[in-house]
Amino acid sequence: MTKKSRTLLFFICVIAFFLITPLVLFYIQGYRVDFNKQKIVQVGAFYFNVSPPKAEVYLTPLNNKRPSKILKEKTNFLLGSILVKNLLPKIYKIEIKKDGYHPWQKNLEIKEKQVTEAKNILLIPKKLNFIAIDSNTENFFPSPDNKKLIIKKSSSSENEQYFTLLDLEKNTQTPILKNNTWLKKGELLNLIWFPDSTKFILQFIIKEEKKCFLVELDKDFSLNYFSFLENTEKIYFNTKNYKELFALKENKIFLLNLKKNETEKKFLLKNISA
């Protein structure tokens, strides 16, 4: 290759670099060309949370001058969630399907630099099996895998509350936590299932204080007291590791790592209002 050819190739590479680099930066920052509107826009995203998991999500852009393209995705196998990114701002027809369930449909809009959320989407089975629940049932809490149900009951004669585990696959009911001294002292605030459906957290009000207990299904429904979670305002699970949870307490956020025999806590942020 001659010196003149090398010089020419060098300048071509320099020109290509200065032409391509801005395009790459704009793309990384979320800028796209909307050919229907004939202008440059910033993309948005959809977030869906669907039960049961592993459902198929279909997105069809509406009011397109050109033929519409259907985008097909599948929700997470564990939590049933999905984040669909890099979508042009417009209205989409959303259809969520799974074999054996009735589909869910809705038109939702994507706006620039925003995430449009649709949470707690419940797909109804086409074949429903009805199970009779006692009249003294006060509340019920389905597990994330939709295979179990915790039923909270009360006994008017004994003035106590107790729980029953309903196995929806085997159609069996097992009384749990009955005659527990802690449960006789307080009033149930909430029941929070772990994402793996093997354990749950009970939140009680006992003598005007919030107290939390961990119940493990595979350990004969043992009740473990979480002293650190006392008077906790909010509890959220880490979606990437369900053995970790975030706790909002006294305007501070803590990360709790649940080990085999202990709970390891780590301070993250302070001055948090919500």
Side-chain angles (χ1 to χ4, degrees), residues 41 101 104 117 130 139 156 192 205 208 225 251 265 268 274:
V41 297
Y101 293 82
W104 182 91
E117 295 183 341
F130 293 94
N139 207 343
S156 56
I192 307 171
I205 285 286
E208 299 183 354
Y225 175 52
N251 297 330
K265 59 180 181 292
L268 296 180

Side-chain angles (χ1 to χ4, degrees), residues 58-62 91-95 105-108:
Y58 296 85
L59 282 72
T60 307
L62 300 181
I91 298 177
Y92 293 81
K93 176 186 175 182
I94 313 298
E95 188 172 17
Q105 294 183 356
K106 194 171 185 179
N107 292 344
L108 296 174

Side-chain angles (χ1 to χ4, degrees), residues 129-133 166-168 171 173:
N129 297 320
F130 293 94
I131 301 173
I133 298 178
L166 174 60
D167 190 318
L168 298 176
N171 192 15
Q173 297 190 37

Side-chain angles (χ1 to χ4, degrees), residues 176-200:
I176 60 174
L177 308 177
K178 195 171 183 179
N179 299 322
N180 187 283
T181 55
W182 281 107
L183 305 189
K184 292 180 180 180
K185 298 178 182 179
E187 177 184 353
L188 179 67
L189 278 180
N190 197 10
L191 187 150
I192 307 171
W193 278 97
F194 276 63
D196 61 356
S197 302
T198 62
K199 55 185 80 72
F200 56 86

Side-chain angles (χ1 to χ4, degrees), residues 22-272:
L23 297 177
V24 173
L25 292 176
F26 275 111
Y27 185 89
I28 293 174
Q29 293 176 0
Y31 288 94
R32 303 289 188 275
V33 178
D34 189 336
F35 293 100
N36 290 288
K37 296 180 180 179
Q38 297 182 353
K39 66 176 185 178
I40 297 177
V41 297
Q42 281 191 278
V43 296
F46 277 126
Y47 174 80
F48 300 108
N49 180 253
V50 185
S51 180
K54 297 182 70 174
E56 295 180 342
V57 180
Y58 296 85
L59 282 72
T60 307
L62 300 181
N63 303 324
N64 268 10
K65 296 179 181 179
R66 298 186 177 188
S68 299
K69 179 182 178 182
I70 298 177
L71 178 65
K72 178 183 174 182
E73 301 282 350
K74 185 171 282 190
T75 60
N76 183 281
F77 75 95
L78 181 62
L79 300 177
S81 59
I82 186 174
L83 179 66
V84 187
K85 301 182 289 185
N86 298 322
L87 297 175
L88 293 176
K90 61 182 64 181
I91 298 177
Y92 293 81
K93 176 186 175 182
I94 313 298
E95 188 172 17
I96 300 178
K97 300 179 180 180
K98 186 170 184 176
D99 290 341
Y101 293 82
H102 293 284
W104 182 91
Q105 294 183 356
K106 194 171 185 179
N107 292 344
L108 296 174
E109 184 180 3
I110 285 287
K111 296 182 179 180
E112 292 191 52
K113 300 185 295 182
Q114 293 186 22
V115 176
T116 301
E117 295 183 341
K119 297 180 179 179
N120 303 320
I121 299 173
L122 177 64
L123 300 184
I124 306 300
K126 293 181 179 179
K127 294 182 179 180
L128 294 174
N129 297 320
F130 293 94
I131 301 173
I133 298 178
D134 297 341
S135 58
N136 60 346
T137 297
E138 290 187 353
N139 207 343
F140 54 88
F141 307 88
S143 62
D145 61 5
N146 295 309
K147 296 180 180 180
K148 296 178 279 291
L149 192 73
I150 298 295
I151 303 173
K152 179 180 180 293
K153 299 183 179 182
S154 63
S155 174
S156 56
S157 58
E158 300 177 7
N159 192 25
E160 67 169 326
Q161 56 188 340
Y162 59 96
F163 298 85
T164 296
L165 173 65
L166 174 60
D167 190 318
L168 298 176
E169 292 185 324
K170 299 178 182 178
N171 192 15
T172 58
Q173 297 190 37
T174 305
I176 60 174
L177 308 177
K178 195 171 183 179
N179 299 322
N180 187 283
T181 55
W182 281 107
L183 305 189
K184 292 180 180 180
K185 298 178 182 179
E187 177 184 353
L188 179 67
L189 278 180
N190 197 10
L191 187 150
I192 307 171
W193 278 97
F194 276 63
D196 61 356
S197 302
T198 62
K199 55 185 80 72
F200 56 86
I201 293 176
L202 288 171
Q203 289 183 301
F204 278 91
I205 285 286
I206 300 177
K207 294 182 179 180
E208 299 183 354
E209 289 187 342
K210 290 183 182 179
K211 297 186 180 293
C212 294
F213 304 88
L214 175 67
V215 180
E216 300 185 71
L217 303 186
D218 56 352
K219 293 186 178 180
D220 299 326
F221 311 106
S222 58
L223 194 68
N224 300 313
Y225 175 52
F226 272 3
S227 59
F228 179 76
L229 291 180
E230 186 173 305
N231 294 322
T232 299
E233 298 173 35
K234 293 286 184 180
I235 297 175
Y236 298 97
F237 288 99
N238 183 354
T239 56
K240 295 183 179 180
N241 181 3
Y242 55 76
K243 292 184 179 180
E244 294 181 343
L245 54 88
F246 299 97
L248 176 61
K249 180 179 180 180
E250 297 174 353
N251 297 330
K252 299 176 183 178
I253 289 206
F254 297 87
L255 174 65
L256 279 75
N257 188 349
L258 307 179
K259 297 183 177 181
K260 291 184 178 179
N261 299 316
E262 61 179 332
T263 300
E264 181 183 84
K265 59 180 181 292
K266 178 182 178 181
F267 169 74
L268 296 180
L269 295 169
K270 63 179 180 179
N271 300 324
I272 305 298

